[in-house]
């Protein structure tokens, strides 16, 4: 079962596959099943050419696994991952040649 612990859209800057991307969606996702738990931080850059354009293109996507092992969801672990989310995503975004503008969110966070 996948649960987005955190999800928010931000203004961003990235050119990937020759396409200018002006926004990114950032998530912290918990995946669990069979007594195993995994946490992943993800970033996906997308064009966002108009204010209501949220058509996500998953070609400019990066994921970093933060934890994988036996167990279940942990609020303490999630809190730690959320505190480190910006730096974790910045590292993943740089690998795509992109930048997330953390001080310019688009809409409210979903937690």
């Amino acid at each position: 079962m996948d649960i987005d612990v955190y999800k928010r859209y931000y203004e961003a800057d990235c050119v990937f596959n020759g396409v200018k991307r002006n926004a990114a969606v950032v998530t912290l996702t918990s995946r669990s099943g069979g007594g195993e738990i995994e946490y992943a931080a993800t970033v996906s850059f997308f064009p966002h050419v108009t204010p209501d354009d949220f058509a996500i293109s998953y070609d400019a996507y990066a994921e970093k696994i933060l934890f994988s092992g036996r167990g279940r969801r942990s609020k303490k672990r999630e809190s730690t991952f959320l505190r480190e989310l910006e730096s974790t995503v910045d590292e993943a975004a740089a690998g795509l040649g992109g930048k997330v503008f953390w001080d310019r969110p688009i809409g409210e966070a979903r937690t």
Side-chain angles (χ1 to χ4, degrees):
M1 175 168 53
D2 288 8
I3 297 172
D4 285 334
V5 175
Y6 175 88
K7 181 177 185 177
R8 194 165 196 184
Y9 296 87
Y10 292 90
E11 288 184 26
D13 183 46
C14 184
V15 175
F16 195 83
N17 283 338
V19 178
K20 174 83 167 108
R21 317 301 170 105
N22 300 305
V25 59
V26 173
T27 64
L28 172 63
T29 302
S30 165
R31 299 178 184 128
S32 62
E36 299 286 322
I37 186 81
E38 180 176 271
Y39 285 95
T42 66
V43 61
S44 184
F45 292 94
F46 60 100
H48 195 60
V49 293
T50 63
D52 60 343
D53 174 20
F54 289 90
I56 308 297
S57 49
Y58 289 98
D59 61 338
Y61 172 87
E63 175 179 271
K64 182 172 182 183
I65 303 300
L66 305 174
F67 177 84
S68 184
R70 298 213 39 85
R72 58 182 177 212
R73 284 187 66 191
S74 160
K75 294 291 183 186
K76 183 177 178 182
R77 188 180 292 144
E78 290 173 5
S79 177
T80 299
F81 294 148
L82 284 170
R83 281 193 306 274
E84 300 169 355
L85 189 62
E86 287 185 21
S87 62
T88 301
V89 168
D90 283 345
E91 184 180 311
L96 296 170
K99 177 163 179 51
V100 175
F101 299 114
W102 297 104
D103 59 339
R104 293 187 263 179
I106 303 169
E108 297 299 316
R110 290 188 240 163
T111 55

